[in-house]
Amino acid sequence: MKNKLNKVAVIGAGTMGSSIAALLAAVNLDVWLLDILPNNLTSETEHDKSARNQLALSGIKQMKNPKSHMLFDSSNLNRVHPGNMVDDLDVLSECDWIIEVVLEKLSIKQQVMKQIASVRKKGSIVSSNTSGVSITSIIEQEDDEFKAHFLGTHFFNPPRYMKLLEIIPTNDTSSEVVETMTTFFEEELGKEVVIANDTPNFIGNRIGTFAYIDVMKQMEKYELSIPLADALSGPVIGRPSSATFRTADMVGIDILKNVAHNVVSQSNDAVEKENYTPPLFVDAMI
């Protein structure tokens, strides 16, 4: 690789961000796991470092839970450093790669990119782990050098076990950056890299959300139980044992709806809009 990755920052310490941080630590990268300041700080805790870092520390706690299966080895934790986007923003200036794993909302992602742009070193790679938000839109307000070093890097959940990884370059992304990240993902992480266009939900989620929502609608139509729907939409048709509803539970039904909405909000096709609109019971559960 022309650009060797040594130090990485993962912004967003939820389940996905923590899982990615754990995976990167397992291949000997020095990883900073950053999140926002919590909104429950008081006058007694506002200067307490552990209180200010509690969201990142919560992510590390998830890693320690053996049921999460995030870590290859507990010693990997020594390479993960908790922080927050106020006290530790300058850490980003030392990183070779910064990956954003925050809420699937364009405005929030753009705000994070502004923070990154204020401190990152030139030549460092920045990526978004979005499930389907327009990669181009996320950095439309940034300068040309930033755009040349930015791309989508979409891990699938759980990152440790899912082999597929989508790289989504924009028209401005440097070919060298695409080559660097493809080589890293394939040779260091053992991923199967697919280059995707910057279209709503890219490839995997464009197909996946359609399939999940269709099963939900067929379940209602034929008055099936959820266990029966999962039995019919799992290994028996070549899909994972988590099938439809258990997969939705793992991903989060709110995230499933948000990802589907990426297509609904950007499509002009009435049939497609209907196909990607979940049944009403999903809204009720959310």
Side-chain angles (χ1 to χ4, degrees):
M1 289 185 293
K2 295 180 180 178
N3 297 318
K4 178 65 176 174
L5 306 179
N6 293 304
K7 189 170 186 176
V8 177
V10 178
I11 300 176
T15 299
M16 198 65 179
S18 298
S19 298
I20 292 171
L23 180 63
L24 299 178
V27 294
N28 300 319
L29 291 181
D30 188 21
V31 183
W32 276 85
L33 181 62
L34 307 182
D35 212 308
I36 60 173
L37 282 178
N39 57 16
N40 62 353
L41 293 176
T42 66
S43 57
E44 296 176 348
T45 61
E46 63 179 346
H47 299 298
D48 183 329
K49 190 67 174 174
S50 61
R52 294 172 73 83
N53 289 346
Q54 65 180 267
L55 295 179
L57 289 170
S58 177
I60 291 175
K61 185 178 179 180
Q62 284 190 73
M63 295 181 203
K64 293 180 180 178
N65 184 348
K67 292 183 179 180
S68 73
H69 301 289
M70 290 183 187
L71 294 170
F72 285 92
D73 188 285
S74 60
S75 65
N76 299 156
L77 280 172
N78 296 331
R79 300 190 186 93
V80 182
H81 314 286
N84 66 75
M85 290 291 284
V86 174
D87 303 330
D88 304 294
L89 186 63
D90 286 347
V91 166
L92 302 184
S93 67
E94 305 167 7
C95 292
D96 306 303
W97 173 31
I98 303 162
I99 177 170
E100 164 268 302
V101 197
V102 303
L103 291 175
E104 289 289 270
K105 291 187 178 180
L106 178 60
S107 60
I108 294 176
K109 290 181 181 294
Q110 289 177 330
Q111 181 180 346
V112 170
M113 291 304 152
K114 283 187 178 298
Q115 290 180 282
I116 293 171
S118 69
V119 294
R120 67 175 278 270
K121 62 182 179 182
K122 288 190 175 183
S124 63
I125 296 171
V126 182
S127 69
S128 173
N129 188 64
T130 177
S131 301
V133 174
S134 168
I135 299 298
T136 303
S137 297
I138 291 172
I139 42 86
E140 62 184 359
Q141 301 168 6
E142 305 306 327
D143 63 28
D144 290 344
E145 194 275 340
F146 191 111
K147 290 177 179 178
H149 291 84
F150 180 79
L151 71 168
T153 52
H154 180 211
F155 288 81
F156 287 79
N157 195 13
R160 177 180 170 185
Y161 296 104
M162 295 296 284
K163 192 173 181 66
L164 176 63
L165 190 145
E166 293 176 328
I167 283 182
I168 311 98
T170 72
N171 292 334
D172 299 308
T173 307
S174 159
S175 59
E176 182 179 317
V177 167
V178 175
E179 179 184 350
T180 294
M181 298 310 294
T182 299
T183 302
F184 171 76
F185 291 137
E186 291 180 343
E187 296 186 1
E188 300 294 326
L189 298 185
K191 298 300 183 183
E192 185 74 30
V193 172
V194 174
I195 305 296
N197 291 328
D198 189 12
T199 55
N201 290 355
F202 318 129
I203 301 172
N205 280 347
R206 187 66 169 263
I207 298 169
T209 50
F210 172 85
Y212 299 144
I213 291 170
D214 189 57
V215 169
M216 293 175 178
K217 290 180 176 179
Q218 299 299 326
M219 181 195 75
E220 283 194 316
K221 178 180 178 180
Y222 293 105
E223 300 181 342
L224 306 178
S225 67
I226 285 177
L228 181 54
D230 265 4
L232 295 172
S233 62
V236 71
I237 60 170
R239 294 184 185 171
S241 59
S242 57
T244 299
F245 288 94
R246 277 174 289 180
T247 301
D249 282 343
M250 181 174 68
V251 171
I253 56 172
D254 54 338
I255 293 175
L256 175 63
K257 183 184 176 182
N258 286 342
V259 172
H261 185 69
N262 290 333
V263 177
V264 174
S265 63
Q266 297 183 60
S267 174
N268 295 317
D269 187 307
V271 174
E272 186 172 47
K273 285 178 178 289
E274 172 61 26
N275 287 340
Y276 282 87
T277 300
L280 292 178
F281 76 80
V282 174
D283 285 332
M285 291 177 72
I286 293 172

